[in-house]
Amino acid sequence: EQTARGMRDLLRDVVAGGTATGADLNTFEVAGKSGTARRTSADGRGYAAGAYTASFVGLFPADDPQYVILVKIDNPTAGAYYGGRVAAPVSKVVLEAAI
């Protein structure tokens, strides 16, 4: 229980002031982790140039999680490709609509 609480605190910090501030809600605390991964080439030999997967996994509400949300965007094209910049804001929109 203590370890789980500590992990939730760390994940809350990711949203409150870390790489996933785009998922932050004004009304409730969200905990989560952003991710950015390079995609492999079609032939399986290395990475494809400019190809990424942006992701965010969130727990809501942070203190007593009732929901887990996963947003995964393959090859984002709107400029940024980092999970915190692309996927985290999508999570925020989904959570706001659910609330």
Side-chain angles (χ1 to χ4, degrees):
E1 186 176 328
Q2 182 180 3
T3 301
R5 190 179 315 97
M7 283 302 300
R8 278 196 310 271
D9 289 343
L10 292 171
L11 295 174
R12 182 185 293 116
D13 291 344
V14 170
V15 175
T19 59
T21 57
D24 195 19
L25 297 174
N26 292 330
T27 52
F28 296 96
E29 287 190 318
V30 178
K33 179 69 179 92
S34 63
T36 306
R38 293 180 65 186
R39 298 176 61 95
T40 57
S41 63
D43 64 8
R45 299 179 184 200
Y47 296 108
Y52 297 90
T53 297
S55 62
F56 177 79
V57 177
L59 303 172
F60 173 80
D63 287 332
D64 184 24
Q66 302 297 307
Y67 297 99
V68 174
I69 183 168
L70 166 65
V71 174
K72 178 180 170 255
I73 301 175
D74 292 331
N75 294 319
T77 58
Y81 56 86
Y82 300 109
R85 300 269 316 271
V86 177
V90 175
S91 299
K92 177 180 181 171
V93 171
V94 170
L95 288 171
E96 286 175 335
I99 293 170

